[in-house]
Amino acid sequence: MANIALLTDLIEPEATALGLSLVRVRMQGGKSDPTLQVMAERPDTRQLVIEDCAELSRRISDKFDALEAEGKDPVGEDAYRLEVSSPGIDRPLTRLQDFADWEGQEARIRLVEPFEDRKQISGNLMGVEGTKITVDVNKHKLMTIDFSQVADAKLVMTDRLIAATAPLSTEGADEVFYQDTPTDEPDAHEADTEEGQH
């Protein structure tokens, strides 16, 4: 199984070198279709254009190829697909700052352990104080949880969220950069939309 903390440590400097902020790194698809998913964004637009996706993908591939040549394969899969994309509008919330940045928007949060008999809470983000996140659950009760209690979280697509992100350019918002690894042609890259490759 891939060590996500190690992969994040390897990928984050490559994103930073391009002026990007790393949002999430994870392996998905299981044994049948192992995919290393990397989400990143430009801090000013919260999006990536296809050129950003392609350049970040190249940098990650080059670094991982060099490590593999040294016998230090960081992924641990014989073949896998590298997917680099923008987080999109209904983005995952992976950093404490995300919960502050998106205050006022609706989110769905899955908890590590049940809290007040709930394993999942949904509601408007009301703010962050220290490591504590306050959520107006279904607009009737305020709940405060620690960031350490969050298993995963994402924004909920609402008219309010669409309006809040409307000034941003939609160019490249739904584009994903894929590269199958390994490949017979190491320099071959393909850019496609999420719908265009399965």
Side-chain angles (χ1 to χ4, degrees):
M1 180 177 289
N3 183 328
I4 297 302
L6 171 63
L7 293 176
T8 300
D9 287 345
L10 292 171
I11 292 169
E12 191 154 29
E14 304 306 319
T16 301
L18 297 174
L20 306 176
S21 178
L22 190 61
V23 175
R24 182 173 71 188
V25 175
R26 73 175 181 182
M27 287 296 297
Q28 58 184 24
K31 290 292 183 183
S32 61
D33 183 27
T35 301
L36 175 58
Q37 182 194 68
V38 178
M39 283 187 179
E41 64 185 5
R42 287 209 167 274
D44 55 341
T45 65
R46 294 191 175 278
Q47 294 182 10
L48 250 64
V49 296
I50 195 67
E51 291 81 9
D52 293 328
C53 292
E55 183 58 28
L56 181 55
S57 180
R58 287 189 195 99
R59 292 183 70 105
I60 294 169
S61 296
D62 288 347
K63 176 176 263 190
F64 284 14
D65 288 348
L67 288 169
E68 189 172 357
E70 297 172 7
K72 302 174 182 176
D73 180 9
V75 179
E77 296 285 349
D78 291 336
Y80 63 93
R81 186 168 55 163
L82 173 61
E83 174 189 300
V84 176
S85 68
S86 162
I89 294 176
D90 54 341
R91 57 179 299 125
L93 304 172
T94 60
R95 301 158 294 191
L96 182 61
Q97 187 60 40
D98 292 336
F99 291 87
D101 291 346
W102 295 98
E103 183 176 341
Q105 300 297 335
E106 186 175 346
R108 184 174 296 115
I109 304 170
R110 188 169 61 86
L111 303 175
V112 174
E113 295 179 348
F115 179 69
E116 295 185 10
D117 296 324
R118 291 174 178 261
K119 185 70 184 213
Q120 179 173 292
I121 58 176
S122 297
N124 292 332
L125 300 176
M126 301 303 291
V128 172
E129 185 172 339
T131 61
K132 303 293 185 182
I133 302 162
T134 300
V135 183
D136 184 0
V137 179
N138 298 325
K139 300 181 180 179
H140 78 277
K141 177 181 179 182
L142 294 180
M143 289 182 67
T144 299
I145 58 172
D146 193 82
F147 180 61
S148 64
Q149 295 174 272
V150 177
D152 61 64
K154 66 179 294 185
L155 292 179
V156 175
M157 185 78 77
T158 62
D159 290 341
R160 185 169 72 250
L161 179 60
I162 293 169
T165 56
L168 301 180
S169 166
T170 58
E171 180 184 357
D174 294 325
E175 292 177 324
V176 178
F177 190 89
Y178 290 106
Q179 179 172 339
D180 289 320
T181 308
T183 176
D184 293 334
E185 300 177 15
D187 295 327
H189 293 78
E190 179 180 356
D192 216 333
T193 62
E194 285 186 274
E195 293 79 11
Q197 180 148 350
H198 301 281

